[in-house]
């Protein structure tokens, strides 16, 4: 951005009462001056603008170059209208004001609004123009309410000042368009790369099509721009928090729906486990009852039952664990015939007396049964 100090020369002559520019020449000029001041100060924070009048009782400096836009706009209100403009004197006073600028790094520029006839001689204006060029001062002229003779003089002045196309003259004829709107598309405002900022009104600092965020130039009204930006950020944060809360609620709802089937499955598994437990309890009760029945039968049969069981086990062990029914029967017969073997088995059993009459009677019955079984097998083989 260009670092620049600018002096604006305002035409406050009697000709500014004309109404060929809406609402009047003077009011149209005032709007255009506000626009130029706003754009110049908005282009760079260190830019400064000053204002002077060219008619009335003489050239009068209203404000020396300053960056306070409010001060510049205030001094342009309530100006007296009268007399004729003196461009030559106004340009020289403006150059003197720029010479005393505080920041010497600022480039110097003079903007002249000429809405009335120019009485100065053409050659005198050219001499002044060459002096401006020598001191590196650029000059822009806004010619409105134009006359052929005035336009010629103004063009000669700009030609004498111009250095590498840094100075311009703009002729604005009367018409429906406002003077400030016409200046938006002229090199006076867009030369410094401020075409986007030119769409705003300098006095209000707000324009819907300005190209700035929220339509506010932060250089002109930084507090409003900051407030709008903070409001937008708070709204964005609120919407993000609402979206996050909604997502959490949906996730929790979905988790509950998935948890319900798992609970029913757990209930089913519990019920099946109860059934299995009931079945096991029933089997256990049945086994206990059977055990109790066996115990009762054992008590009823007394020693005979225990003796019979011991004999059968001993005979199986003595027979070598043969599994077939025929070999077992043959072994039992052989054992029963061997009285000495039986006596040794009975003696080895705890609590059994081989000489007990009941034991002897039991052995005799076993011997008879063995003989009967052997006879039956012989009969079966003969058949």
């Amino acid at each position: 951005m260009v670092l620049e100090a600018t002096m604006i020369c305002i035409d406050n002559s009697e000709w500014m009462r004309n109404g060929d520019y809406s609402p009047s020449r003077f009011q149209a000029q005032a709007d255009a001056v506000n626009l130029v001041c706003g754009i110049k100060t908005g282009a760079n924070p260190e830019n400064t603008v000053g204002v002077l009048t060219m008619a009335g009782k003489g050239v009068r400096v209203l404000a020396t170059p300053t960056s306070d836009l409010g001060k510049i706009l205030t001094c342009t209100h309530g100006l007296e209208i009268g007399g004729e403009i003196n461009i030559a004197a106004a340009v020289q006073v403006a150059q003197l004001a720029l010479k005393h600028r505080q920041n010497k790094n600022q480039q110097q520029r003079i903007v002249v609004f000429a809405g009335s006839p120019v009485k100065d001689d053409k050659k005198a204006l050219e001499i002044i123009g060459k002096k401006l060029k020598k001191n590196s001062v650029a000059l822009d002229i806004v010619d409105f309410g134009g006359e052929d003779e005035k336009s010629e003089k103004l063009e000669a002045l700009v030609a004498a000042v111009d250095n590498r196309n840094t100075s311009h003259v703009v002729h604005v004829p009367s018409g429906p368009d406002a003077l400030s709107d016409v200046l938006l598309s002229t090199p006076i405002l867009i030369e410094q790369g401020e075409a986007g900022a030119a769409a705003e009104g300098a006095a209000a600092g707000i324009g819907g099509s300005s190209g700035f965020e929220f339509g506010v130039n932060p250089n002109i009204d930084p507090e409003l721009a900051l407030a709008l930006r903070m409001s937008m950020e708070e709204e964005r944060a609120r919407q993000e928090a609402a979206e996050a809360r909604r997502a959490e609620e949906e996730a929790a709802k979905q988790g509950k729906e998935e948890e319900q089937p798992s609970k029913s499955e757990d209930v089913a598994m519990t019920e099946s486990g109860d059934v299995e437990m009931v079945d096991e309890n029933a089997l256990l009760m049945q086994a206990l009852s059977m055990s109790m029945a066996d115990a009762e039968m054992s008590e009823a049969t007394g020693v005979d039952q225990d003796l019979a069981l011991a004999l059968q086990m001993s005979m199986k062990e003595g027979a070598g664990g043969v599994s077939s029914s025929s070999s077992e029967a043959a072994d039992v017969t052989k054992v029963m015939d061997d009285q000495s073997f039986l006596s040794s088995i009975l003696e080895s059993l705890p609590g059994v007396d081989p000489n007990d009459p009941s034991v002897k009677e039991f052995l005799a019955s076993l011997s008879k049964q063995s003989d009967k079984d052997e006879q039956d097998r012989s009969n079966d083989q003969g058949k």
Side-chain angles (χ1 to χ4, degrees):
M1 293 179 286
V2 178
L3 181 60
E4 193 174 65
T6 305
M7 283 298 296
I8 299 178
C9 302
I10 298 177
D11 187 349
N12 59 330
S13 64
E14 289 289 343
W15 295 82
M16 302 308 293
R17 301 182 189 274
N18 292 352
D20 50 350
Y21 291 84
S22 179
S24 65
R25 288 191 183 185
F26 185 79
Q27 188 59 47
Q29 176 187 234
D31 294 340
V33 168
N34 292 341
L35 175 64
V36 173
C37 292
I39 292 179
K40 292 293 183 181
T41 56
N44 192 311
E46 297 185 12
N47 281 356
T48 57
V49 178
V51 180
L52 60 81
T53 57
M54 299 185 293
K57 297 180 180 179
V59 177
R60 184 165 63 99
V61 177
L62 302 178
T64 56
T66 177
S67 58
D68 187 355
L69 182 61
K71 180 180 179 181
I72 299 170
L73 298 178
T74 300
C75 69
T76 58
H77 291 287
L79 293 179
E80 297 180 359
I81 299 177
E84 297 180 350
I85 63 173
N86 186 349
I87 290 183
V91 170
Q92 293 183 64
V93 172
Q95 179 186 359
L96 184 61
L98 292 174
K99 185 177 181 179
H100 292 86
R101 67 192 184 281
Q102 294 181 354
N103 189 352
K104 300 302 181 179
N105 294 324
Q106 293 174 323
Q107 297 182 13
Q108 305 173 79
R109 181 176 295 275
I110 299 174
V111 179
V112 177
F113 284 86
S116 59
V118 177
K119 302 297 184 179
D120 298 287
D121 184 65
K122 180 179 178 180
K123 290 185 178 181
L125 293 177
E126 289 178 348
I127 294 173
I128 294 175
K130 291 179 181 179
K131 186 177 180 180
L132 294 177
K133 183 178 180 179
K134 182 179 179 180
N135 294 324
S136 301
V137 180
L139 177 64
D140 291 327
I141 298 179
V142 180
D143 176 21
F144 59 105
E147 300 174 354
D148 294 340
E149 184 180 357
K150 181 184 73 170
S151 299
E152 183 180 351
K153 291 180 180 180
L154 296 178
E155 289 177 357
L157 173 60
V158 171
V161 178
D162 189 28
N163 183 16
R164 297 180 181 179
N165 198 29
T166 58
S167 301
H168 311 87
V169 57
V170 176
H171 304 284
V172 182
S174 60
D177 296 331
L179 181 60
S180 58
D181 293 340
V182 175
L183 291 180
L184 292 175
S185 58
T186 62
I188 295 177
L189 296 182
I190 67 176
E191 182 187 19
Q192 308 301 326
E194 299 163 353
E200 62 177 344
I206 300 176
S209 59
S210 62
F212 291 105
E213 186 179 11
F214 313 117
V216 178
N217 185 350
N219 295 320
I220 294 179
D221 197 343
E223 294 182 357
L224 178 58
L226 179 60
L228 292 173
R229 187 178 297 107
M230 292 178 63
S231 178
M232 179 62 70
E233 291 177 355
E234 291 177 357
E235 178 64 18
R236 187 181 296 109
R238 187 189 65 79
Q239 292 179 0
E240 291 177 355
E243 290 292 336
R245 194 182 313 110
R246 191 178 301 109
E248 291 178 359
E249 293 176 355
E250 292 178 357
K253 184 178 180 181
Q254 185 176 2
K256 290 182 180 179
E257 293 177 353
E258 293 178 354
E259 185 179 358
Q260 290 178 355
S262 61
K263 286 185 177 180
S264 59
E265 292 177 1
D266 294 340
V267 172
M269 292 177 65
T270 304
E271 292 177 353
S272 62
D274 294 341
V275 173
E276 292 178 357
M277 187 177 295
V278 170
D279 294 342
E280 291 178 359
N281 293 335
L283 293 175
L284 181 59
M285 293 297 295
Q286 185 178 0
L288 290 174
S289 61
M290 291 176 66
S291 300
M292 292 174 65
D294 292 341
E296 291 176 356
M297 290 178 64
S298 298
E299 293 177 358
T301 55
V303 67
D304 295 344
Q305 181 69 21
D306 295 335
L307 181 59
L309 180 60
L311 288 173
Q312 290 177 3
M313 293 177 65
S314 299
M315 287 186 294
K316 288 181 180 181
E317 292 177 358
V322 182
S323 60
S324 62
S325 59
S326 58
S327 61
E328 288 179 358
D331 292 339
V332 170
T333 302
K334 292 179 180 179
V335 170
M336 296 306 297
D337 292 340
D338 192 351
Q339 294 297 327
S340 61
F341 179 71
L342 287 175
S343 297
S344 63
I345 291 175
L346 292 175
E347 289 177 357
S348 64
L349 294 174
V352 178
D353 186 6
N355 297 322
D356 191 352
S358 61
V359 173
K360 292 181 178 181
E361 183 180 356
F362 178 70
L363 292 175
S365 62
L366 289 177
S367 179
K368 292 179 181 180
Q369 182 66 29
S370 177
D371 294 339
K372 184 179 179 182
D373 293 338
E374 184 176 0
Q375 186 177 359
D376 290 341
R377 285 195 302 271
S378 299
N379 293 335
D380 292 336
Q381 292 178 359
K383 293 180 180 180

